[in-house]
Structures are given as structure tokens and as C-alpha cells.
Amino acid sequence: MKKSKKKVYVGLSADILHKGHINILKTANTYGDVYVGLLTDQAISSYKNIPYLDFEKRKIVIENIKYVKKVIPQKTLDYVENLNVIKPDYVVHGDDWKKGVQKKTRERVIKTLKKWSGKLIEPKYTKNISSTLIKKEMNNIIALPENRVSRLKRLMNSKDIVRILESHNSLTGLIIEKIDLIKNKKKLEFDGMWSSSLTDSATKGLPDNSSLSFSARISSLNDMMDVTTKPLVFDADNGGQIEHLSFLVRSLERSGASAIIMEDKVGLKKNSLFKNQVGTKQDKPKLFAKKIKKICNSRQSQDFMVIARIESFIVGKGLKDALHRAEIYSKAGADAILIHSKEKTPTEIFSFAREFKKSKNFIPLVSVPSTYSKVYEKDLIKNGFKLVIYANQLLRSAYPAMQNTARTILKNSRAFEADKNIIPIKEIINLIKND
């Protein structure tokens, strides 16, 4: 009777595959049959950006490496769940995890292997691999419009909530691209940009009443896309004439935008956050549904998302009307629903979420917490929201800062007094320089 080979487990993300990974797999193969625990998009997104290739595509690549017997999903950064199922004789990992953030993961692997006398093999980490150069090349690929379009949908499938921040020019786009922090040992960052009709108009000195043309807005959008890699969501107001939507969608996809948000109001735009909404009218649900269908039929990629913005609470029509519209818009092909509110608490949007979740036509929800800014993301998640858009905070913070600096210079007839409240020009140069 043929003796079965020993089982060897290797955990990989394989978002970037280099000779170091091949060396690990080659070593593992000398000990027995290699089972690769391939991190899912969800697992990877818990500590860094989702990979260029989705799980299924990465799985195909790894399956075709000659040293690998089988690929299985590893749903968390922790190996234990898969180890308890496979009970491998060996786990093979480079020796670079003895210190740092992976140290505790390593300890749990050793403790679990002891249950069946398994052993941890740790080859020396392969040197002379420039992760910086690899990352730069990957970013160049990710930034291509055809690759960028799909990233928002993948993020929404991978994360509890996707965090988007308003960007009104290339500089704010770079801030969103690069800023991050560590909180409770987790990396926090913004997942993408919001191209806002309000802030685009304001930076051009124009009122927020659709006076800025889509062509002018897309020109600004292209400037942002040239220096960033993250997904962009485009605020299209009510989308304009249905006959023009095809051209708008094609322009957005060519630029690499991931989604369009369209509100169900008609006529001359009045900002939804104004108290006085007298004269504001909503489109008839079935007519607005035709706009949604038009976008769905015009898009080149099924990953380009159509998000329907419901204004029922804004114009005082209430919950029943909002739910009725959500059903129609979902059936028409919308990928998500933005339920808008100008209340100071999220009570009404949460009541909408509770009721809509009961529907067979439920689709992900989007929140724009401009007026109810005290709401925590954890509470949005709990109520079924998958996307949060911080829609105007960067512009609102920039304006008073610039106004104060201008006043200080006028008051003192020189710039010295303003220096203590502004950053050195070197920091701006460092932000915009190529890595």
C-alpha cells in the first residue's frame, strides 16, 4: 500500500507574487504535499488595500504553480481555523514574522501545531526584493482606468464599510491617497474619493445649482485621477437629460470612475441641506427608474456602479414614499441606495434601513452624514450601510483656514504672523513629489 505524503501548509496573500514566495513553496514541497491557504479579499482588506487580482484570479495563478497541490481560502489573518481542518504535519513560513505585527500569529500557529505534533519550518527571508519598486509598479497597473472602475464594488464586497472622502482638486486627492493612521493595531485610511457637485462648484466660485457643466467637472476629475489610484464616486445631481446619460457614463468610465450617484429630484437644483425646500420636486419613480436603466444599459463594465439617491425625507414625503421608491429603483438595476436626510440624528435613515432590509429587493445602503455627523461608522454598519461618504469636510476646513491666513497678512502687513498656523512649503512638495 502506497504511503500518503505528509501535508504542508503555506499561508499566502499573493497580491504581489515574487521569488521569495516561490522559494517558500519550493521549500515546502520538499516536505510533502503543499496546501496553500490563500487570503481572501476580506482578509487582505483588514490590514491593507485589496489586491489587484480578486481571490478567484489569484487562486488560478497559485494552482498552476508546480509545487502546489491544493488552494483553499484563508478567511482571516489567523491560520488556526484552517490548521484545525487540515492538521498539517508542517507549516512553512519565512523567518520574517518572528518580530512585529505577525509575532502573535506565529505563536498561535506553534501552539496549534503542538496538538498533533506538527512542526513549523522557517526558511530565511529572501533578500534583495524591493517591495517599494513592486508596489510602485502595481500602483501604475491599478491606476489604469479599466482596472480602477471595478475596485469600489470589490471593496464593498470585502469590507464592513467603505469610507469615502470629498475631493475637490488634485491636492485633496493626494491627501486622501496618502493619509492613514494606526488605531488599535489596525490601519485606517480612506478607500476612495467623492467628486461632489457642491464642492466642485464652490471651488469655481459658482452656486450649487448645476451651473457647472459635466464636461468641466470631468476635466477636474481627470486631473485628480492622474495623481491617485483610489476609486472615485461621481455626484451627478439628477443626471440631466436622459438622452445625455450615455455620454456621461462613457466619459466617467474612460476616466476610471467607479460609480455614479444620481438623485431623484427634477428642475433647477436646490441643495438638499437647505431648510427651505419649497418648490423642490421629485421625479416620478418610474421615470427616474428609466434613467437608472439607461445607465445600466450604457455602461461598458458591470462593475461600474449606479447608486440611486432618494430625496423623500428631504422634501417631506416620509418613510413610505422612500421605501416605495427603493423597491422600484432596485428592480430597475440600481446597485445601491443612498437614503438622504438633513436631520441631526440618523433616526429616520435607520428606520428606512430596518424596513428595507426586510425586502427581497434589498441592496446595499449609502450614508452621507453631513448633518447627523455624530453617528459612528459601527452604527452605520449595524444598520446595513456599506458605504459612507464624508461629502464636504475638506472644503469646509480649507475655507476658514485660508480666510484666517488672509486676514492675518492684511492685519500685520507681512506674512510672519501667519507662519505659525501654516505648514512649511516642504511638506506640500513632499506630498506631491513622485515616490
Side-chain angles (χ1 to χ4, degrees):
M1 186 175 177
K2 189 177 179 181
K3 188 177 179 181
S4 62
K5 290 183 74 174
K6 291 184 180 293
K7 293 180 180 178
V8 187
Y9 189 83
V10 175
L12 286 178
S13 63
D15 52 339
I16 298 173
L17 193 65
H18 53 66
K19 66 179 181 180
H21 298 121
I22 300 300
N23 288 342
I24 291 291
L25 293 172
K26 188 176 181 180
T27 299
N29 183 246
T30 64
Y31 288 90
D33 288 333
V34 179
Y35 292 76
V36 170
L38 186 62
L39 292 180
T40 61
D41 285 4
Q42 289 89 339
I44 293 174
S45 68
S46 70
Y47 73 103
K48 62 180 178 180
N49 290 335
I50 59 169
Y52 164 56
L53 296 177
D54 64 28
F55 176 83
E56 290 303 324
K57 289 174 183 173
R58 287 183 287 121
K59 182 171 180 279
I60 291 169
V61 171
I62 301 301
E63 282 175 336
N64 282 280
I65 296 174
K66 65 179 181 179
Y67 307 116
V68 176
K69 179 177 177 65
K70 189 175 182 180
V71 178
I72 60 173
Q74 183 171 312
K75 297 176 182 178
T76 69
L77 301 181
D78 192 2
Y79 286 42
V80 172
E81 183 180 344
N82 280 2
L83 296 186
N84 282 327
V85 172
I86 296 171
K87 292 185 169 53
D89 300 282
Y90 303 100
V91 169
V92 178
H93 193 288
D95 64 356
D96 57 317
W97 67 341
K98 291 181 179 179
K99 296 179 181 179
V101 294
Q102 288 186 296
K103 183 179 177 181
K104 287 189 177 179
T105 302
R106 177 180 180 269
E107 290 170 357
R108 284 175 59 77
V109 167
I110 293 170
K111 184 178 178 181
T112 304
L113 285 171
K114 281 181 180 178
K115 294 178 185 177
W116 52 85
S117 301
K119 187 178 178 183
L120 175 62
I121 308 295
E122 297 176 297
K124 286 190 175 181
Y125 184 76
T126 306
K127 295 180 179 179
N128 302 319
I129 295 172
S130 174
S131 57
T132 302
L133 285 176
I134 293 171
K135 184 178 178 182
K136 188 174 181 180
E137 289 301 315
M138 287 301 298
N139 281 342
N140 289 337
I141 296 170
I142 290 167
L144 293 172
E146 59 268 29
N147 296 329
R148 201 168 182 172
V149 168
S150 64
R151 290 185 71 77
L152 180 66
K153 182 172 277 191
R154 287 185 58 206
L155 281 164
M156 289 178 69
N157 289 334
S158 304
K159 303 187 75 169
D160 290 334
I161 197 161
V162 176
R163 188 183 294 115
I164 302 291
L165 182 62
E166 163 257 321
S167 176
H168 52 269
N169 58 24
S170 298
L171 187 61
T172 51
L174 280 169
I175 291 171
I176 294 165
E177 182 82 5
K178 296 187 178 185
I179 197 163
D180 60 49
L181 59 87
I182 303 297
K183 182 180 178 183
N184 298 328
K185 297 183 179 179
K186 284 188 176 182
K187 182 181 176 183
L188 297 179
E189 62 183 333
F190 292 99
D191 298 299
M193 301 172 288
W194 166 242
S195 175
S196 159
S197 170
L198 165 63
T199 60
D200 275 1
S201 299
T203 55
K204 301 288 192 299
L206 295 171
D208 184 29
N209 61 5
S210 302
S211 52
L212 189 64
S213 69
F214 283 137
S215 59
R217 290 194 57 209
I218 288 172
S219 176
S220 297
L221 179 156
N222 284 331
D223 289 340
M224 285 191 287
M225 301 302 253
D226 283 343
V227 297
T228 61
T229 63
K230 291 187 175 181
L232 182 138
V233 180
F234 186 81
D235 171 19
D237 291 331
N238 65 14
Q241 297 294 322
I242 191 169
E243 294 82 5
H244 299 161
L245 279 173
S246 297
F247 302 102
L248 175 59
V249 170
R250 286 175 204 155
S251 295
L252 290 172
E253 285 192 277
R254 276 197 300 270
S255 298
S258 294
I260 183 172
I261 291 185
M262 190 170 57
E263 65 185 43
D264 60 358
K265 289 196 295 194
V266 290
L268 184 65
K269 181 184 177 184
K270 181 185 288 188
N271 190 286
S272 298
L273 301 181
F274 290 158
K275 287 186 178 180
N276 182 9
Q277 292 293 325
V278 175
T280 302
K281 294 181 180 179
Q282 271 180 297
D283 207 348
K284 292 178 180 178
K286 290 185 178 177
L287 290 179
F288 188 73
K290 286 184 178 180
K291 284 188 171 182
I292 294 170
K293 289 176 182 175
K294 183 73 171 178
I295 296 173
C296 290
N297 292 334
S298 301
R299 61 188 173 186
Q300 298 295 305
S301 169
Q302 292 303 305
D303 290 332
F304 180 82
M305 297 183 69
V306 187
I307 302 174
R309 173 172 145 180
I310 296 177
E311 297 283 292
S312 299
F313 289 139
I314 300 295
V315 300
K317 288 187 178 179
L319 178 61
K320 187 176 179 180
D321 184 78
L323 290 167
H324 174 64
R325 288 172 177 272
E327 293 285 339
I328 293 173
Y329 301 165
S330 175
K331 289 177 184 176
D335 298 291
I337 294 289
L338 192 168
I339 181 65
H340 208 28
S341 172
K342 57 182 178 181
E343 294 298 312
K344 292 190 176 180
T345 74
T347 302
E348 65 181 8
I349 68 162
F350 286 172
S351 64
F352 170 87
R354 280 194 301 273
E355 293 303 315
F356 189 39
K357 275 196 281 189
K358 298 173 185 176
S359 169
K360 65 180 181 180
N361 297 308
F362 178 78
I363 49 179
L365 298 177
V366 181
S367 167
V368 181
S370 297
T371 56
Y372 50 97
S373 57
K374 287 184 178 180
V375 69
Y376 286 104
E377 291 170 3
K378 64 181 181 180
D379 295 317
L380 292 172
I381 294 167
K382 205 180 297 181
N383 283 275
F385 287 82
K386 289 290 289 184
L387 184 68
V388 57
I389 299 173
Y390 297 102
N392 47 45
Q393 281 79 7
L394 287 189
L395 181 63
R396 286 164 57 197
S397 60
Y399 176 75
M402 290 189 290
Q403 193 176 53
N404 184 58
T405 297
R407 276 205 183 102
T408 301
I409 293 171
L410 273 179
K411 182 181 177 181
N412 295 284
S413 300
R414 63 177 185 174
F416 175 76
E417 286 75 11
D419 286 347
K420 64 181 178 182
N421 295 319
I422 59 179
I423 64 171
I425 192 64
K426 185 178 178 181
E427 288 193 35
I428 296 291
I429 293 169
N430 287 337
L431 178 67
I432 63 178
K433 74 177 183 179
N434 292 324
D435 294 325

